[in-house]
Amino acid sequence: DQQVKQNSPSLSVQEGRISILNCDYTNSMFDYFLWYKKYPAEGPTFLISISSIKDKNEDGRFTVFLNKSAKHLSLHIVPSQPGDSAVYFCAASVSGNTGKLIFGQGTTLQVKP
Amino acid sequence: NAGVTQTPKFRILKIGQSMTLQCTQDMNHNYMYWYRQDPGMGLKLIYYSVGAGITDKGEVPNGYNVSRSTTEDFPLRLELAAPSQTSVYFCASSPRVANTDTQYFGPGTRLTVL
């Protein structure tokens, strides 16, 4: 049972344009969501998070949107840069549940110069 | 400040061999986690610990064991290696401030079982 799903294995965008990565979840108990970025041969790096009491969180070029009724979140990167090329994982957790994260399968983003 | 460190970076094991994957963090985090990532898949939780002396199973614990004798170290033990354990293993730690669950990951150990 895949509780967190990233249905697009890959995404290619031009430098300077917007990248939109999507994530869906099934467990309505999830109340904290995170995005991680992963380069080859490195561990995942925390990017941005959002609590279920919000519907938007912004940090520089990165914005995460949460639609609780649709059980959907998205990560917007504007403008996209070649250095953003990486695998992006969304993850979800239930507060107070010892911090265990459930990860999606990942989306590989390629930003072309 | 090294963060989360893992050793070794790479290892090849024969079926039935044993090994310990080392994980150390210098951030004084109470919470620590072990994940595995198979090709094209997300990370799956193997074991976790909420403090020294306290460990519990995650989604995929079979074939693994852990211990947590200090805040800094959280080794993962494979007793009888099987080809299904070929994967990349990541250790993570978290301060769990205000119940937020941001975890900080090590660089990973790539394990191949032949």
PDB file of all heavy atoms in Angstrom, chain A residues 32 34 36 38 42-44 46 89 93 95-96 98-105, chain B residues 31 33 35 37 41-43 45 48 50 90 96 100-103 105-107:
ATOM      1  N   TYR A  32       2.194  16.484   8.474  1.00  0.00           N
ATOM      2  CA  TYR A  32       3.443  17.208   8.240  1.00  0.00           C
ATOM      3  C   TYR A  32       4.065  16.623   6.988  1.00  0.00           C
ATOM      4  O   TYR A  32       4.159  15.406   6.853  1.00  0.00           O
ATOM      5  CB  TYR A  32       4.374  17.052   9.442  1.00  0.00           C
ATOM      6  CG  TYR A  32       5.554  17.993   9.426  1.00  0.00           C
ATOM      7  CD1 TYR A  32       5.377  19.350   9.602  1.00  0.00           C
ATOM      8  CD2 TYR A  32       6.853  17.510   9.256  1.00  0.00           C
ATOM      9  CE1 TYR A  32       6.456  20.214   9.602  1.00  0.00           C
ATOM     10  CE2 TYR A  32       7.934  18.365   9.258  1.00  0.00           C
ATOM     11  CZ  TYR A  32       7.725  19.719   9.426  1.00  0.00           C
ATOM     12  OH  TYR A  32       8.794  20.582   9.427  1.00  0.00           O
ATOM     13  N   LEU A  34       7.155  17.031   3.818  1.00  0.00           N
ATOM     14  CA  LEU A  34       8.499  17.539   3.543  1.00  0.00           C
ATOM     15  C   LEU A  34       8.889  17.206   2.099  1.00  0.00           C
ATOM     16  O   LEU A  34       8.406  16.235   1.520  1.00  0.00           O
ATOM     17  CB  LEU A  34       9.532  16.878   4.470  1.00  0.00           C
ATOM     18  CG  LEU A  34       9.277  16.890   5.963  1.00  0.00           C
ATOM     19  CD1 LEU A  34       8.507  15.643   6.401  1.00  0.00           C
ATOM     20  CD2 LEU A  34      10.591  16.966   6.733  1.00  0.00           C
ATOM     21  N   TYR A  36      12.506  16.571  -0.055  1.00  0.00           N
ATOM     22  CA  TYR A  36      13.940  16.382   0.004  1.00  0.00           C
ATOM     23  C   TYR A  36      14.484  16.354  -1.419  1.00  0.00           C
ATOM     24  O   TYR A  36      13.822  15.890  -2.351  1.00  0.00           O
ATOM     25  CB  TYR A  36      14.280  15.042   0.685  1.00  0.00           C
ATOM     26  CG  TYR A  36      14.201  15.068   2.192  1.00  0.00           C
ATOM     27  CD1 TYR A  36      12.993  14.879   2.852  1.00  0.00           C
ATOM     28  CD2 TYR A  36      15.343  15.273   2.956  1.00  0.00           C
ATOM     29  CE1 TYR A  36      12.923  14.906   4.234  1.00  0.00           C
ATOM     30  CE2 TYR A  36      15.286  15.296   4.339  1.00  0.00           C
ATOM     31  CZ  TYR A  36      14.076  15.106   4.961  1.00  0.00           C
ATOM     32  OH  TYR A  36      14.014  15.133   6.335  1.00  0.00           O
ATOM     33  N   LYS A  38      17.843  15.039  -3.729  1.00  0.00           N
ATOM     34  CA  LYS A  38      18.938  14.077  -3.639  1.00  0.00           C
ATOM     35  C   LYS A  38      19.754  14.105  -4.920  1.00  0.00           C
ATOM     36  O   LYS A  38      19.244  13.852  -6.013  1.00  0.00           O
ATOM     37  CB  LYS A  38      18.396  12.664  -3.391  1.00  0.00           C
ATOM     38  CG  LYS A  38      19.498  11.627  -3.183  1.00  0.00           C
ATOM     39  CD  LYS A  38      18.953  10.252  -3.000  1.00  0.00           C
ATOM     40  CE  LYS A  38      20.076   9.235  -2.808  1.00  0.00           C
ATOM     41  NZ  LYS A  38      21.071   9.261  -3.903  1.00  0.00           N
ATOM     42  N   GLU A  42      24.815  10.874  -2.962  1.00  0.00           N
ATOM     43  CA  GLU A  42      24.704  11.659  -1.728  1.00  0.00           C
ATOM     44  C   GLU A  42      23.427  11.281  -1.005  1.00  0.00           C
ATOM     45  O   GLU A  42      22.509  10.680  -1.577  1.00  0.00           O
ATOM     46  CB  GLU A  42      24.699  13.161  -2.016  1.00  0.00           C
ATOM     47  CG  GLU A  42      25.989  13.687  -2.610  1.00  0.00           C
ATOM     48  CD  GLU A  42      25.961  15.196  -2.782  1.00  0.00           C
ATOM     49  OE1 GLU A  42      25.021  15.836  -2.282  1.00  0.00           O
ATOM     50  OE2 GLU A  42      26.881  15.723  -3.427  1.00  0.00           O
ATOM     51  N   GLY A  43      23.345  11.661   0.276  1.00  0.00           N
ATOM     52  CA  GLY A  43      22.110  11.451   0.998  1.00  0.00           C
ATOM     53  C   GLY A  43      21.097  12.537   0.674  1.00  0.00           C
ATOM     54  O   GLY A  43      21.453  13.601   0.175  1.00  0.00           O
ATOM     55  N   PRO A  44      19.809  12.263   0.940  1.00  0.00           N
ATOM     56  CA  PRO A  44      18.788  13.292   0.731  1.00  0.00           C
ATOM     57  C   PRO A  44      19.056  14.519   1.596  1.00  0.00           C
ATOM     58  O   PRO A  44      19.514  14.403   2.733  1.00  0.00           O
ATOM     59  CB  PRO A  44      17.489  12.593   1.158  1.00  0.00           C
ATOM     60  CG  PRO A  44      17.790  11.141   1.073  1.00  0.00           C
ATOM     61  CD  PRO A  44      19.236  11.005   1.413  1.00  0.00           C
ATOM     62  N   PHE A  46      17.265  18.022   3.124  1.00  0.00           N
ATOM     63  CA  PHE A  46      15.991  18.675   3.398  1.00  0.00           C
ATOM     64  C   PHE A  46      15.863  19.973   2.601  1.00  0.00           C
ATOM     65  O   PHE A  46      16.798  20.788   2.540  1.00  0.00           O
ATOM     66  CB  PHE A  46      15.872  18.968   4.890  1.00  0.00           C
ATOM     67  CG  PHE A  46      14.695  19.835   5.237  1.00  0.00           C
ATOM     68  CD1 PHE A  46      13.409  19.336   5.155  1.00  0.00           C
ATOM     69  CD2 PHE A  46      14.885  21.158   5.627  1.00  0.00           C
ATOM     70  CE1 PHE A  46      12.327  20.134   5.465  1.00  0.00           C
ATOM     71  CE2 PHE A  46      13.810  21.964   5.940  1.00  0.00           C
ATOM     72  CZ  PHE A  46      12.533  21.453   5.857  1.00  0.00           C
ATOM     73  N   PHE A  89      12.148  13.939  -3.520  1.00  0.00           N
ATOM     74  CA  PHE A  89      11.259  13.044  -2.788  1.00  0.00           C
ATOM     75  C   PHE A  89      10.303  13.863  -1.931  1.00  0.00           C
ATOM     76  O   PHE A  89      10.735  14.792  -1.247  1.00  0.00           O
ATOM     77  CB  PHE A  89      12.043  12.125  -1.856  1.00  0.00           C
ATOM     78  CG  PHE A  89      12.902  11.104  -2.555  1.00  0.00           C
ATOM     79  CD1 PHE A  89      14.251  11.330  -2.739  1.00  0.00           C
ATOM     80  CD2 PHE A  89      12.355   9.920  -3.015  1.00  0.00           C
ATOM     81  CE1 PHE A  89      15.047  10.391  -3.372  1.00  0.00           C
ATOM     82  CE2 PHE A  89      13.141   8.975  -3.655  1.00  0.00           C
ATOM     83  CZ  PHE A  89      14.498   9.212  -3.833  1.00  0.00           C
ATOM     84  N   SER A  93       4.437  12.591   7.450  1.00  0.00           N
ATOM     85  CA  SER A  93       4.485  11.980   8.778  1.00  0.00           C
ATOM     86  C   SER A  93       3.247  12.349   9.573  1.00  0.00           C
ATOM     87  O   SER A  93       2.508  13.274   9.218  1.00  0.00           O
ATOM     88  CB  SER A  93       5.728  12.417   9.535  1.00  0.00           C
ATOM     89  OG  SER A  93       5.624  13.773   9.935  1.00  0.00           O
ATOM     90  N   SER A  95       2.340  13.682  13.252  1.00  0.00           N
ATOM     91  CA  SER A  95       2.971  14.292  14.422  1.00  0.00           C
ATOM     92  C   SER A  95       2.790  13.410  15.638  1.00  0.00           C
ATOM     93  O   SER A  95       1.721  12.834  15.852  1.00  0.00           O
ATOM     94  CB  SER A  95       2.362  15.672  14.695  1.00  0.00           C
ATOM     95  OG  SER A  95       2.673  16.552  13.663  1.00  0.00           O
ATOM     96  N   GLY A  96       3.849  13.334  16.419  1.00  0.00           N
ATOM     97  CA  GLY A  96       3.773  12.544  17.637  1.00  0.00           C
ATOM     98  C   GLY A  96       3.948  11.069  17.402  1.00  0.00           C
ATOM     99  O   GLY A  96       3.834  10.269  18.328  1.00  0.00           O
ATOM    100  N   THR A  98       6.709   9.414  16.600  1.00  0.00           N
ATOM    101  CA  THR A  98       8.152   9.154  16.638  1.00  0.00           C
ATOM    102  C   THR A  98       8.892   9.616  15.396  1.00  0.00           C
ATOM    103  O   THR A  98      10.003   9.180  15.129  1.00  0.00           O
ATOM    104  CB  THR A  98       8.467   7.662  16.869  1.00  0.00           C
ATOM    105  OG1 THR A  98       7.969   6.894  15.786  1.00  0.00           O
ATOM    106  CG2 THR A  98       7.839   7.176  18.155  1.00  0.00           C
ATOM    107  N   GLY A  99       8.295  10.507  14.607  1.00  0.00           N
ATOM    108  CA  GLY A  99       9.007  11.100  13.489  1.00  0.00           C
ATOM    109  C   GLY A  99       9.199  10.220  12.281  1.00  0.00           C
ATOM    110  O   GLY A  99       9.962  10.552  11.385  1.00  0.00           O
ATOM    111  N   LYS A 100       8.546   9.085  12.218  1.00  0.00           N
ATOM    112  CA  LYS A 100       8.714   8.207  11.068  1.00  0.00           C
ATOM    113  C   LYS A 100       8.179   8.867   9.812  1.00  0.00           C
ATOM    114  O   LYS A 100       7.069   9.380   9.789  1.00  0.00           O
ATOM    115  CB  LYS A 100       7.976   6.887  11.314  1.00  0.00           C
ATOM    116  CG  LYS A 100       8.607   6.045  12.412  1.00  0.00           C
ATOM    117  CD  LYS A 100       7.920   4.710  12.547  1.00  0.00           C
ATOM    118  CE  LYS A 100       6.572   4.846  13.211  1.00  0.00           C
ATOM    119  NZ  LYS A 100       5.977   3.518  13.477  1.00  0.00           N
ATOM    120  N   LEU A 101       8.990   8.856   8.752  1.00  0.00           N
ATOM    121  CA  LEU A 101       8.613   9.453   7.483  1.00  0.00           C
ATOM    122  C   LEU A 101       8.244   8.366   6.481  1.00  0.00           C
ATOM    123  O   LEU A 101       8.910   7.331   6.402  1.00  0.00           O
ATOM    124  CB  LEU A 101       9.760  10.285   6.914  1.00  0.00           C
ATOM    125  CG  LEU A 101      10.175  11.537   7.687  1.00  0.00           C
ATOM    126  CD1 LEU A 101      11.345  12.214   6.989  1.00  0.00           C
ATOM    127  CD2 LEU A 101       9.005  12.489   7.833  1.00  0.00           C
ATOM    128  N   ILE A 102       7.196   8.634   5.708  1.00  0.00           N
ATOM    129  CA  ILE A 102       6.820   7.783   4.588  1.00  0.00           C
ATOM    130  C   ILE A 102       7.166   8.549   3.318  1.00  0.00           C
ATOM    131  O   ILE A 102       6.688   9.680   3.131  1.00  0.00           O
ATOM    132  CB  ILE A 102       5.329   7.440   4.609  1.00  0.00           C
ATOM    133  CG1 ILE A 102       4.930   6.826   5.956  1.00  0.00           C
ATOM    134  CG2 ILE A 102       4.988   6.499   3.450  1.00  0.00           C
ATOM    135  CD1 ILE A 102       5.615   5.510   6.265  1.00  0.00           C
ATOM    136  N   PHE A 103       7.989   7.932   2.470  1.00  0.00           N
ATOM    137  CA  PHE A 103       8.496   8.604   1.287  1.00  0.00           C
ATOM    138  C   PHE A 103       7.758   8.167   0.026  1.00  0.00           C
ATOM    139  O   PHE A 103       7.326   7.016  -0.101  1.00  0.00           O
ATOM    140  CB  PHE A 103       9.984   8.290   1.089  1.00  0.00           C
ATOM    141  CG  PHE A 103      10.891   9.050   1.992  1.00  0.00           C
ATOM    142  CD1 PHE A 103      11.138   8.622   3.284  1.00  0.00           C
ATOM    143  CD2 PHE A 103      11.515  10.212   1.549  1.00  0.00           C
ATOM    144  CE1 PHE A 103      11.984   9.331   4.129  1.00  0.00           C
ATOM    145  CE2 PHE A 103      12.363  10.921   2.375  1.00  0.00           C
ATOM    146  CZ  PHE A 103      12.600  10.480   3.669  1.00  0.00           C
ATOM    147  N   GLY A 104       7.658   9.109  -0.924  1.00  0.00           N
ATOM    148  CA  GLY A 104       7.244   8.754  -2.268  1.00  0.00           C
ATOM    149  C   GLY A 104       8.421   8.170  -3.038  1.00  0.00           C
ATOM    150  O   GLY A 104       9.539   8.088  -2.528  1.00  0.00           O
ATOM    151  N   GLN A 105       8.131   7.776  -4.286  1.00  0.00           N
ATOM    152  CA  GLN A 105       9.154   7.084  -5.086  1.00  0.00           C
ATOM    153  C   GLN A 105      10.202   8.027  -5.671  1.00  0.00           C
ATOM    154  O   GLN A 105      11.255   7.578  -6.123  1.00  0.00           O
ATOM    155  CB  GLN A 105       8.511   6.311  -6.246  1.00  0.00           C
ATOM    156  CG  GLN A 105       7.359   5.411  -5.837  1.00  0.00           C
ATOM    157  CD  GLN A 105       6.033   6.111  -6.044  1.00  0.00           C
ATOM    158  OE1 GLN A 105       5.809   7.208  -5.523  1.00  0.00           O
ATOM    159  NE2 GLN A 105       5.144   5.480  -6.788  1.00  0.00           N
TER     160      GLN A 105
ATOM    161  N   TYR B  31      16.658  11.319  18.111  1.00  0.00           N
ATOM    162  CA  TYR B  31      16.001  10.407  17.178  1.00  0.00           C
ATOM    163  C   TYR B  31      16.949  10.032  16.050  1.00  0.00           C
ATOM    164  O   TYR B  31      17.562  10.904  15.426  1.00  0.00           O
ATOM    165  CB  TYR B  31      14.743  11.049  16.599  1.00  0.00           C
ATOM    166  CG  TYR B  31      13.643  11.231  17.618  1.00  0.00           C
ATOM    167  CD1 TYR B  31      13.692  12.245  18.557  1.00  0.00           C
ATOM    168  CD2 TYR B  31      12.549  10.369  17.635  1.00  0.00           C
ATOM    169  CE1 TYR B  31      12.691  12.389  19.490  1.00  0.00           C
ATOM    170  CE2 TYR B  31      11.539  10.512  18.557  1.00  0.00           C
ATOM    171  CZ  TYR B  31      11.622  11.531  19.495  1.00  0.00           C
ATOM    172  OH  TYR B  31      10.625  11.670  20.425  1.00  0.00           O
ATOM    173  N   TYR B  33      17.413   7.032  12.584  1.00  0.00           N
ATOM    174  CA  TYR B  33      16.639   6.167  11.695  1.00  0.00           C
ATOM    175  C   TYR B  33      17.563   5.471  10.694  1.00  0.00           C
ATOM    176  O   TYR B  33      18.575   6.035  10.294  1.00  0.00           O
ATOM    177  CB  TYR B  33      15.622   6.999  10.892  1.00  0.00           C
ATOM    178  CG  TYR B  33      14.772   7.919  11.731  1.00  0.00           C
ATOM    179  CD1 TYR B  33      15.220   9.186  12.086  1.00  0.00           C
ATOM    180  CD2 TYR B  33      13.511   7.516  12.172  1.00  0.00           C
ATOM    181  CE1 TYR B  33      14.444  10.028  12.859  1.00  0.00           C
ATOM    182  CE2 TYR B  33      12.726   8.356  12.953  1.00  0.00           C
ATOM    183  CZ  TYR B  33      13.206   9.611  13.284  1.00  0.00           C
ATOM    184  OH  TYR B  33      12.430  10.452  14.060  1.00  0.00           O
ATOM    185  N   TYR B  35      17.182   3.731   6.852  1.00  0.00           N
ATOM    186  CA  TYR B  35      16.348   3.515   5.681  1.00  0.00           C
ATOM    187  C   TYR B  35      17.134   2.717   4.652  1.00  0.00           C
ATOM    188  O   TYR B  35      18.354   2.746   4.624  1.00  0.00           O
ATOM    189  CB  TYR B  35      15.959   4.839   5.013  1.00  0.00           C
ATOM    190  CG  TYR B  35      15.064   5.733   5.823  1.00  0.00           C
ATOM    191  CD1 TYR B  35      15.585   6.656   6.721  1.00  0.00           C
ATOM    192  CD2 TYR B  35      13.678   5.684   5.667  1.00  0.00           C
ATOM    193  CE1 TYR B  35      14.763   7.495   7.446  1.00  0.00           C
ATOM    194  CE2 TYR B  35      12.840   6.516   6.376  1.00  0.00           C
ATOM    195  CZ  TYR B  35      13.394   7.428   7.267  1.00  0.00           C
ATOM    196  OH  TYR B  35      12.570   8.257   7.985  1.00  0.00           O
ATOM    197  N   GLN B  37      17.066   2.214   0.265  1.00  0.00           N
ATOM    198  CA  GLN B  37      16.481   2.706  -0.966  1.00  0.00           C
ATOM    199  C   GLN B  37      16.851   1.753  -2.088  1.00  0.00           C
ATOM    200  O   GLN B  37      18.027   1.589  -2.429  1.00  0.00           O
ATOM    201  CB  GLN B  37      16.978   4.108  -1.322  1.00  0.00           C
ATOM    202  CG  GLN B  37      16.271   4.647  -2.557  1.00  0.00           C
ATOM    203  CD  GLN B  37      16.922   5.856  -3.157  1.00  0.00           C
ATOM    204  OE1 GLN B  37      18.017   6.269  -2.774  1.00  0.00           O
ATOM    205  NE2 GLN B  37      16.242   6.464  -4.107  1.00  0.00           N
ATOM    206  N   MET B  41      12.884   3.443  -6.278  1.00  0.00           N
ATOM    207  CA  MET B  41      11.909   3.435  -5.188  1.00  0.00           C
ATOM    208  C   MET B  41      12.255   4.527  -4.180  1.00  0.00           C
ATOM    209  O   MET B  41      13.354   5.071  -4.174  1.00  0.00           O
ATOM    210  CB  MET B  41      11.924   2.072  -4.473  1.00  0.00           C
ATOM    211  CG  MET B  41      11.667   0.906  -5.389  1.00  0.00           C
ATOM    212  SD  MET B  41       9.997   0.929  -6.045  1.00  0.00           S
ATOM    213  CE  MET B  41       9.075   0.488  -4.574  1.00  0.00           C
ATOM    214  N   GLY B  42      11.276   4.806  -3.323  1.00  0.00           N
ATOM    215  CA  GLY B  42      11.531   5.727  -2.232  1.00  0.00           C
ATOM    216  C   GLY B  42      12.268   5.034  -1.096  1.00  0.00           C
ATOM    217  O   GLY B  42      12.592   3.853  -1.179  1.00  0.00           O
ATOM    218  N   LEU B  43      12.510   5.789  -0.060  1.00  0.00           N
ATOM    219  CA  LEU B  43      13.205   5.236   1.110  1.00  0.00           C
ATOM    220  C   LEU B  43      12.195   4.512   2.000  1.00  0.00           C
ATOM    221  O   LEU B  43      11.094   5.019   2.234  1.00  0.00           O
ATOM    222  CB  LEU B  43      13.880   6.352   1.909  1.00  0.00           C
ATOM    223  CG  LEU B  43      15.171   6.927   1.334  1.00  0.00           C
ATOM    224  CD1 LEU B  43      14.912   7.773   0.111  1.00  0.00           C
ATOM    225  CD2 LEU B  43      15.892   7.743   2.393  1.00  0.00           C
ATOM    226  N   LEU B  45      11.704   2.666   5.808  1.00  0.00           N
ATOM    227  CA  LEU B  45      12.258   2.665   7.159  1.00  0.00           C
ATOM    228  C   LEU B  45      12.506   1.239   7.642  1.00  0.00           C
ATOM    229  O   LEU B  45      11.606   0.395   7.609  1.00  0.00           O
ATOM    230  CB  LEU B  45      11.293   3.373   8.110  1.00  0.00           C
ATOM    231  CG  LEU B  45      11.743   3.539   9.551  1.00  0.00           C
ATOM    232  CD1 LEU B  45      12.971   4.443   9.639  1.00  0.00           C
ATOM    233  CD2 LEU B  45      10.609   4.092  10.404  1.00  0.00           C
ATOM    234  N   TYR B  48      14.231   2.365  13.872  1.00  0.00           N
ATOM    235  CA  TYR B  48      14.452   3.702  14.372  1.00  0.00           C
ATOM    236  C   TYR B  48      14.691   3.651  15.877  1.00  0.00           C
ATOM    237  O   TYR B  48      14.447   2.636  16.542  1.00  0.00           O
ATOM    238  CB  TYR B  48      13.282   4.622  14.039  1.00  0.00           C
ATOM    239  CG  TYR B  48      11.985   4.279  14.723  1.00  0.00           C
ATOM    240  CD1 TYR B  48      11.574   4.945  15.869  1.00  0.00           C
ATOM    241  CD2 TYR B  48      11.135   3.306  14.199  1.00  0.00           C
ATOM    242  CE1 TYR B  48      10.378   4.639  16.492  1.00  0.00           C
ATOM    243  CE2 TYR B  48       9.939   2.994  14.807  1.00  0.00           C
ATOM    244  CZ  TYR B  48       9.564   3.659  15.944  1.00  0.00           C
ATOM    245  OH  TYR B  48       8.378   3.338  16.563  1.00  0.00           O
ATOM    246  N   VAL B  50      14.421   6.331  19.464  1.00  0.00           N
ATOM    247  CA  VAL B  50      14.010   7.622  20.025  1.00  0.00           C
ATOM    248  C   VAL B  50      14.946   8.076  21.134  1.00  0.00           C
ATOM    249  O   VAL B  50      14.728   9.126  21.746  1.00  0.00           O
ATOM    250  CB  VAL B  50      12.552   7.580  20.531  1.00  0.00           C
ATOM    251  CG1 VAL B  50      11.605   7.201  19.395  1.00  0.00           C
ATOM    252  CG2 VAL B  50      12.404   6.614  21.689  1.00  0.00           C
ATOM    253  N   PHE B  90      20.643   4.396   4.150  1.00  0.00           N
ATOM    254  CA  PHE B  90      20.816   5.752   4.668  1.00  0.00           C
ATOM    255  C   PHE B  90      20.459   5.792   6.151  1.00  0.00           C
ATOM    256  O   PHE B  90      19.436   5.253   6.570  1.00  0.00           O
ATOM    257  CB  PHE B  90      19.928   6.748   3.924  1.00  0.00           C
ATOM    258  CG  PHE B  90      20.321   6.964   2.492  1.00  0.00           C
ATOM    259  CD1 PHE B  90      19.614   6.351   1.478  1.00  0.00           C
ATOM    260  CD2 PHE B  90      21.395   7.772   2.173  1.00  0.00           C
ATOM    261  CE1 PHE B  90      19.972   6.540   0.150  1.00  0.00           C
ATOM    262  CE2 PHE B  90      21.765   7.967   0.856  1.00  0.00           C
ATOM    263  CZ  PHE B  90      21.050   7.345  -0.164  1.00  0.00           C
ATOM    264  N   ARG B  96      13.661  16.575  16.373  1.00  0.00           N
ATOM    265  CA  ARG B  96      12.214  16.540  16.673  1.00  0.00           C
ATOM    266  C   ARG B  96      11.788  17.703  17.546  1.00  0.00           C
ATOM    267  O   ARG B  96      11.135  17.535  18.577  1.00  0.00           O
ATOM    268  CB  ARG B  96      11.819  15.217  17.313  1.00  0.00           C
ATOM    269  CG  ARG B  96      11.968  14.055  16.386  1.00  0.00           C
ATOM    270  CD  ARG B  96      10.822  13.073  16.552  1.00  0.00           C
ATOM    271  NE  ARG B  96       9.611  13.576  15.918  1.00  0.00           N
ATOM    272  CZ  ARG B  96       8.390  13.358  16.410  1.00  0.00           C
ATOM    273  NH1 ARG B  96       8.224  12.698  17.521  1.00  0.00           N
ATOM    274  NH2 ARG B  96       7.338  13.821  15.771  1.00  0.00           N
ATOM    275  N   THR B 100       8.107  18.569  14.849  1.00  0.00           N
ATOM    276  CA  THR B 100       8.376  18.583  13.411  1.00  0.00           C
ATOM    277  C   THR B 100       9.386  17.494  13.120  1.00  0.00           C
ATOM    278  O   THR B 100      10.233  17.164  13.953  1.00  0.00           O
ATOM    279  CB  THR B 100       8.924  19.934  12.945  1.00  0.00           C
ATOM    280  OG1 THR B 100      10.133  20.200  13.656  1.00  0.00           O
ATOM    281  CG2 THR B 100       7.931  21.032  13.212  1.00  0.00           C
ATOM    282  N   ASP B 101       9.301  16.918  11.954  1.00  0.00           N
ATOM    283  CA  ASP B 101      10.009  15.680  11.688  1.00  0.00           C
ATOM    284  C   ASP B 101      11.094  15.800  10.644  1.00  0.00           C
ATOM    285  O   ASP B 101      11.362  14.872   9.905  1.00  0.00           O
ATOM    286  CB  ASP B 101       8.993  14.610  11.278  1.00  0.00           C
ATOM    287  CG  ASP B 101       7.980  14.383  12.377  1.00  0.00           C
ATOM    288  OD1 ASP B 101       8.403  14.350  13.542  1.00  0.00           O
ATOM    289  OD2 ASP B 101       6.782  14.272  12.084  1.00  0.00           O
ATOM    290  N   THR B 102      11.741  16.959  10.572  1.00  0.00           N
ATOM    291  CA  THR B 102      12.834  17.111   9.623  1.00  0.00           C
ATOM    292  C   THR B 102      13.973  16.198  10.021  1.00  0.00           C
ATOM    293  O   THR B 102      14.444  16.230  11.156  1.00  0.00           O
ATOM    294  CB  THR B 102      13.321  18.574   9.599  1.00  0.00           C
ATOM    295  OG1 THR B 102      12.215  19.414   9.253  1.00  0.00           O
ATOM    296  CG2 THR B 102      14.438  18.736   8.573  1.00  0.00           C
ATOM    297  N   GLN B 103      14.381  15.376   9.090  1.00  0.00           N
ATOM    298  CA  GLN B 103      15.484  14.460   9.338  1.00  0.00           C
ATOM    299  C   GLN B 103      16.673  14.847   8.486  1.00  0.00           C
ATOM    300  O   GLN B 103      16.529  15.339   7.370  1.00  0.00           O
ATOM    301  CB  GLN B 103      15.051  13.026   9.024  1.00  0.00           C
ATOM    302  CG  GLN B 103      13.935  12.535   9.946  1.00  0.00           C
ATOM    303  CD  GLN B 103      13.496  11.125   9.644  1.00  0.00           C
ATOM    304  OE1 GLN B 103      14.174  10.364   8.956  1.00  0.00           O
ATOM    305  NE2 GLN B 103      12.348  10.752  10.175  1.00  0.00           N
ATOM    306  N   PHE B 105      20.203  13.463   6.784  1.00  0.00           N
ATOM    307  CA  PHE B 105      20.691  12.185   6.300  1.00  0.00           C
ATOM    308  C   PHE B 105      22.202  12.145   6.125  1.00  0.00           C
ATOM    309  O   PHE B 105      22.844  13.156   5.827  1.00  0.00           O
ATOM    310  CB  PHE B 105      20.046  11.864   4.945  1.00  0.00           C
ATOM    311  CG  PHE B 105      18.622  11.422   5.054  1.00  0.00           C
ATOM    312  CD1 PHE B 105      17.605  12.353   5.199  1.00  0.00           C
ATOM    313  CD2 PHE B 105      18.299  10.076   5.027  1.00  0.00           C
ATOM    314  CE1 PHE B 105      16.281  11.952   5.316  1.00  0.00           C
ATOM    315  CE2 PHE B 105      16.980   9.658   5.141  1.00  0.00           C
ATOM    316  CZ  PHE B 105      15.980  10.600   5.279  1.00  0.00           C
ATOM    317  N   GLY B 106      22.745  10.948   6.307  1.00  0.00           N
ATOM    318  CA  GLY B 106      24.130  10.692   5.966  1.00  0.00           C
ATOM    319  C   GLY B 106      24.266  10.428   4.472  1.00  0.00           C
ATOM    320  O   GLY B 106      23.264  10.376   3.746  1.00  0.00           O
ATOM    321  N   PRO B 107      25.497  10.206   3.994  1.00  0.00           N
ATOM    322  CA  PRO B 107      25.746  10.046   2.557  1.00  0.00           C
ATOM    323  C   PRO B 107      25.374   8.673   2.004  1.00  0.00           C
ATOM    324  O   PRO B 107      25.329   8.489   0.795  1.00  0.00           O
ATOM    325  CB  PRO B 107      27.247  10.291   2.430  1.00  0.00           C
ATOM    326  CG  PRO B 107      27.803   9.898   3.752  1.00  0.00           C
ATOM    327  CD  PRO B 107      26.759  10.262   4.770  1.00  0.00           C
TER     328      PRO B 107
END
